[in-house]
Amino acid sequence: MVAVSVDQRVDSDHQLARLLQIGVVLEEVVEARAYRHYQSLAEEDRDLEADVEALLEEAATESARHRERLEELVDELDAESIPFESVETLVEARYGRTKPEDFDGVLYDQLCNEETAYKFYDDLIDAIEASDAAFSLERDRVLEVLTEIRDEEAEGVEEVTRIMEARE
C-alpha cells in the first residue's frame, strides 16, 4: 500500500479519490467521537449543558453531511475504489493518534477533532490548487465542496472556543 500525503500535489484521480476517502473516514471518526462523548456523559447521569449537547449533536450531524458530500465526489471520480480498511489504516496512522480519553474533557477533544479536520481540508485544497493535473471531476466543483467543508470546520473550531471561553 502506498501512503498518500496531503503534503504532496494531487496528480491523479486515484490520488484524489484516496484523499477524499481519507476525509470520509476522518468524518466518521469525528462523528463517532461526538456520539461517544454524548453517550458517556448520559451514562454517567451527568446533565449535559445545553450548549455542549447542541455542539455534540451538530458535530455528528455535520460530519454525516460532510461524509455524504465526499462520498458523492468519490463515486463520480474515474478511479478505482480503495478498500475501506486501507483508508482506515491511513487515517488512524496520520490523524488518529489521540483518543478521546487523552483530553481533559469533551470540549478539548472536540476542539482537537475540529482543528484536525480543518487542517486536513486546508492541506487538501492547497494540494489540489498546487496541481495542474486534469481530473475526471471539474476542479472548481471539488474545490467548492472542500472549501465549504473546511469553512464549516473553522466555524466548529470557533464555536468550541467560544463555549470554552465562556466557561473560564
Side-chain angles (χ1 to χ4, degrees):
M1 171 178 63
V2 176
V4 176
S5 172
V6 181
D7 300 332
Q8 305 169 356
R9 292 178 355 164
V10 181
D11 291 326
S12 68
D13 274 7
H14 179 76
Q15 214 176 10
L16 180 58
R18 179 170 284 187
L19 289 166
L20 291 172
Q21 286 179 308
I22 288 171
V24 168
V25 175
L26 188 59
E27 293 295 347
E28 288 176 352
V29 169
V30 171
E31 182 178 1
R33 286 171 81 148
Y35 180 74
R36 179 176 172 187
H37 283 308
Y38 186 85
Q39 288 300 107
S40 69
L41 292 173
E43 288 169 7
E44 293 172 11
D45 284 335
R46 290 176 56 188
D47 289 331
L48 284 178
E49 295 175 30
D51 55 353
V52 175
E53 183 176 2
L55 177 77
L56 294 174
E57 287 178 9
E58 174 57 27
T61 301
E62 180 180 275
S63 290
R65 255 191 343 263
H66 292 173
R67 195 173 64 248
E68 288 171 9
R69 294 184 75 192
L70 294 169
E71 287 171 344
E72 287 173 9
L73 292 175
V74 171
D75 289 346
E76 293 176 35
L77 276 170
D78 185 22
E80 183 179 315
S81 182
I82 295 98
F84 177 78
E85 297 78 23
S86 298
V87 176
E88 188 174 39
T89 301
L90 287 171
V91 170
E92 184 65 29
R94 176 113 184 186
Y95 300 102
R97 294 185 184 128
T98 59
K99 304 292 180 217
E101 54 274 6
D102 294 338
F103 295 92
D104 287 334
V106 171
L107 292 175
Y108 285 104
D109 185 54
Q110 192 59 36
L111 181 62
C112 177
N113 292 337
E114 298 283 353
E115 288 176 335
T116 299
Y118 172 85
K119 177 73 171 129
F120 172 78
Y121 294 115
D122 196 51
D123 290 347
L124 180 52
I125 289 165
D126 287 347
I128 292 169
E129 288 175 339
S131 174
D132 56 2
F135 304 114
S136 59
L137 282 176
E138 186 178 315
R139 176 187 302 268
D140 289 343
R141 179 166 167 254
V142 173
L143 289 171
E144 178 183 329
V145 169
L146 294 174
T147 299
E148 288 171 4
I149 292 173
R150 180 195 60 194
D151 292 350
E152 288 178 3
E153 298 298 350
E155 290 170 12
V157 169
E158 291 171 8
E159 178 64 14
V160 174
T161 302
R162 184 192 61 73
I163 292 171
M164 292 172 80
E165 288 173 350
R167 294 169 177 264
E168 291 179 358

